[in-house]
Amino acid sequence: MNKRLTAALALTAMLVGVSPLFTGDSRTTASAQLNTQARARRLALPGRVIVKYHADAAAADAEAFVTMHLKTRRLDSTRLHVIDIPVDIDAAAYARLLRQMPGVEFAEPDYLLSPADLPNDPLYGSEWHLATINAPAAWNITNGSAASILAVCDTGVDATHPDLAGQLVPGWNVVDNNSDTSPINPHGTWVAGTAAAASNNGVGVAAVAMNCRIMPMRVTSRSDGIAATSDIVAATVWAADHGARVINVSYAGYGSAAIADAAQYARSKNAVFVMAAGNDASYVANADDPNVIAVSATTPVDALASFTSTGPYVDLAAPGQAIWTTGPQGVYESVSGTSFSAPLVAGTVALMLSAYPQLSAAQAEALLKVSADDRGAAGYDAGYGFGRLNAGRAVELTQAKLYGAADVTPPALRFFMPRDGVVGQTAGEPVRLEVVDDRQVSRVTLYADDQMVGQLNAAPFNFTWNTARLANGSQHVLRAVAKDKANNLATLELPVVVQAGYDVTPPVIEITSPADGSQIKANGGNQSLRVSVNASDNSGRLLSVELYFDGVLVTSSVNSPYTMYVPFAQIAPGRHTLVCLAYDQSFNTAWSNAVTVIR
């Protein structure tokens, strides 16, 4: 057993032996109070941690160690595992412990997530949202197909409701591991009706994806609707494995590595993953997840709803205030929240796939972004994302793509970097863009103060800008111009200011020798394992490169080329893991690839 695992075992024993670190009374708190706590801050579920192991030998050692001491279960066909720990151990502390182990990709508490909450002041109205998103234009092309399946990962769905009875396909209850997807809370029934209630039947409400089918996935057995992250992950995986092309999660799970991993799994199955942005009424500085379509909420006057969360993770906006939909026991209710913005987007995707079943998940996302109605600041912004959903235009572009009609739609752009409109003074300041098109982007050109910085013909659209000679505090304008194959043009500008010493860009680092899986042995005068590392930074100089052997720091280097040595006398027979950590002068860090060697 390596030193890091031995240390982990010792720390585990210490944690078990001390008094409870869970100082709150969350295990016995009333549901209403716990619900309030979960909304105010992310609350970890006592006694449970989610971990993902790397696909290497070190991972096998870590998994064997954990399994030896604790009960674990794997979340279906992913590398995600749920670990049951003593309830008196702080889940966050144990997750930090696990993250130190070689072979562990990430670990986090199994957080309790609230459905996107309803505001306290109920709003009344008709189905204004369907006209706003131009749904009738979409229905002129398709009302949806029974082959287009939308999974609702939520609190269960009322299968007896007049507007839902004929809309469901078999789903699963991942909490109780059975087929009981009846509603434990109204939220899932509200969400399902918003996306795909039956229509043109003379009763109740209409919905955007009226002829598509709903796969009910129950992720909780709590009457307050709060669900564990692991159960949302399990539902996502089950739905993706059982034919859902669209997966709606009306829970604010942004920032969770486990949910990001589940969304990536869904994308690998060609499913579109849609999530509510949340109702925190504040700016949330989470980065964009390329596998998640995060949706904020708008009002009947196309303003951002007062309750909606915003931030760089938001991709689209959609109506989310006074949405008439289905409720349990056959009723109809007006509801508000980003929980009901997300299923409008998910329902639109289901319509798009009805019109063009061969559409990929990535193509569907691009079509949503280029078809959205720009609101707020020109171009992408952290409130509306690429714009407010236009379902009619999205389905029209899908049909145009299917039949090869003339392309008249320009690309859509956003700046990922620089962050916050600030750049440093370096010879290689990074500028990173997302550029999407309904067909194909052919060229992206970047200008700084009308001087061309560079030009790229394919993604990723990552540029470097020489800011070393720009004055501290000086202001400049970056301008990106994107052109598609039909010569449609789109332009986006970003004002920036130069700040000396500003650097948030991590180094780039790779172990180039030995190769992964190498057999190593001492021979002749070669009494040390030589490790060669290629490392660089946008600032031009690294502070240090450290070499970790089985998770233990053994040596470091401050000069390029970065070559370090491990004496064979310190290398026991068996498998070992090498990984390096690079620091730049602003203490941004980056880990290298992990390399396994065998002696």
Side-chain angles (χ1 to χ4, degrees):
M1 183 179 296
N2 65 51
K3 294 180 180 178
R4 179 62 62 83
L5 290 180
T6 303
L9 177 58
L11 183 53
T12 300
M14 290 171 59
L15 287 174
V16 171
V18 299
S19 58
L21 296 175
F22 229 34
T23 55
D25 211 7
S26 58
R27 282 174 285 133
T28 57
T29 303
S31 295
Q33 184 178 345
L34 182 57
N35 194 9
T36 301
Q37 289 178 318
R39 291 168 185 167
R41 60 183 174 85
R42 289 206 300 175
L43 191 67
L45 185 67
R48 199 181 295 174
V49 172
I50 303 172
V51 63
K52 182 180 182 182
Y53 300 104
H54 289 293
D56 59 16
D61 291 340
E63 183 178 352
F65 165 74
V66 172
T67 304
M68 183 187 308
H69 297 92
L70 297 167
K71 181 181 177 182
T72 69
R73 60 186 172 90
R74 185 168 179 162
L75 293 176
D76 294 336
S77 49
T78 72
R79 296 203 307 276
L80 290 168
H81 297 250
V82 176
I83 301 173
D84 292 331
I85 64 175
V87 294
D88 290 337
I89 294 179
D90 187 330
Y94 198 81
R96 287 194 296 271
L97 167 68
L98 290 173
R99 287 197 292 270
Q100 297 176 36
M101 291 185 180
V104 172
E105 183 172 330
F106 67 77
E108 66 183 17
D110 195 355
Y111 288 112
L112 296 171
L113 305 177
S114 293
D117 306 329
L118 298 180
N120 293 327
D121 47 344
L123 301 171
Y124 299 90
S126 61
E127 289 186 278
W128 63 271
H129 57 283
L130 294 175
T132 296
I133 65 172
N134 201 18
W139 297 331
N140 285 336
I141 297 171
T142 179
N143 289 331
S145 163
S148 189
I149 298 173
L150 189 162
V152 174
C153 300
D154 218 287
T155 64
V157 176
D158 182 0
T160 66
H161 194 289
D163 264 347
L164 296 173
Q167 300 296 97
L168 305 186
V169 299
W172 196 248
N173 180 331
V174 298
V175 180
D176 302 319
N177 199 32
N178 60 35
S179 59
D180 178 12
T181 57
S182 60
I184 194 71
N185 173 285
H187 193 265
T189 303
W190 293 333
V191 169
T194 303
S199 307
N200 295 327
N201 58 357
V203 298
V205 295
V208 58
M210 60 178 71
N211 286 349
C212 298
R213 293 295 177 261
I214 299 162
M215 177 186 287
M217 299 296 305
R218 205 170 95 183
V219 299
T220 181
S221 289
R222 295 172 52 127
S223 61
D224 58 13
I226 291 177
T229 299
S230 59
D231 292 323
I232 291 176
V233 169
T236 298
V237 172
W238 196 97
D241 285 344
H242 289 79
R245 287 295 312 277
V246 193
I247 298 171
N248 185 89
V249 175
S250 285
Y251 285 74
Y254 46 75
S256 165
I259 286 181
D261 199 81
Q264 184 178 39
Y265 182 82
R267 180 62 64 95
S268 75
K269 293 286 190 175
N270 206 23
V272 178
F273 186 96
V274 183
M275 176 172 275
N279 299 332
D280 295 327
S282 62
Y283 179 90
V284 181
N286 283 85
D288 175 70
D289 187 323
N291 300 305
V292 176
I293 300 177
V295 189
S296 62
T298 60
T299 70
V301 295
D302 254 357
L304 288 172
S306 61
F307 53 79
T308 191
S309 300
T310 62
Y313 68 104
V314 170
D315 295 288
L316 290 170
Q321 185 171 308
I323 307 298
W324 279 96
T325 184
T326 52
Q329 299 179 342
V331 304
Y332 299 91
E333 299 177 87
S334 176
V335 294
S336 299
T338 56
S339 280
F340 315 107
S341 307
L344 292 177
V345 172
T348 298
V349 176
L351 280 186
M352 295 161 67
L353 293 170
S354 299
Y356 188 0
Q358 288 74 38
L359 200 67
S360 72
Q363 289 171 331
E365 182 175 357
L367 287 165
L368 284 171
K369 290 176 176 178
V370 299
S371 63
D373 292 333
D374 194 11
R375 296 291 184 264
Y380 177 88
D381 63 77
Y384 293 90
F386 282 93
R388 195 254 303 123
L389 172 69
N390 186 326
R393 181 69 176 145
V395 176
E396 288 170 355
L397 290 183
T398 301
Q399 186 186 52
K401 183 178 179 69
L402 173 64
Y403 293 113
D407 179 9
V408 296
T409 304
L413 308 86
R414 75 163 127 176
F415 282 95
F416 282 136
M417 296 185 72
R419 300 177 191 171
D420 304 320
V422 181
V423 296
Q425 288 178 310
T426 69
E429 189 69 16
V431 178
R432 188 160 68 93
L433 290 143
E434 178 186 9
V435 186
V436 294
D437 189 63
D438 60 324
R439 306 295 176 86
Q440 184 178 351
V441 177
S442 64
R443 187 174 67 204
V444 177
T445 308
L446 179 67
Y447 300 88
D449 299 331
D450 294 325
Q451 298 295 313
M452 190 171 79
V453 174
Q455 196 170 82
L456 293 170
N457 297 322
F461 298 106
N462 299 333
F463 299 85
T464 55
W465 176 27
N466 187 349
T467 60
R469 297 183 179 180
L470 300 179
N472 184 31
S474 59
Q475 297 181 2
H476 307 271
V477 176
L478 290 173
R479 178 166 54 93
V481 180
K483 185 176 78 168
D484 64 15
K485 287 286 188 182
N487 293 319
N488 298 302
L489 292 175
T491 300
L492 184 62
E493 293 186 346
L494 178 69
V496 297
V497 62
V498 176
Q499 181 178 314
Y502 181 84
D503 179 17
V504 295
T505 305
V508 176
I509 181 169
E510 180 185 16
I511 297 177
T512 57
S513 176
D516 189 34
S518 296
Q519 296 275 350
I520 59 171
K521 62 180 179 179
N523 52 45
N526 180 19
Q527 296 299 313
S528 296
L529 171 64
R530 173 175 171 159
V531 180
S532 298
V533 178
N534 185 12
S536 62
D537 187 65
N538 66 309
S539 66
R541 184 174 178 273
L542 289 171
L543 194 63
S544 175
V545 172
E546 298 177 344
L547 173 63
Y548 289 78
F549 186 86
D550 289 340
V552 178
L553 175 63
V554 293
T555 186
S556 63
S557 176
V558 297
N559 295 312
S560 177
Y562 301 100
T563 304
M564 291 163 283
Y565 297 88
V566 182
F568 275 110
Q570 298 179 15
I571 305 176
R575 288 180 172 269
H576 303 277
T577 300
L578 303 170
V579 66
C580 288
L581 179 65
Y583 294 85
D584 69 13
Q585 296 183 82
S586 297
F587 292 95
N588 298 303
T589 61
W591 288 98
S592 74
N593 53 312
V595 170
T596 300
V597 294
I598 306 165
R599 185 178 185 191

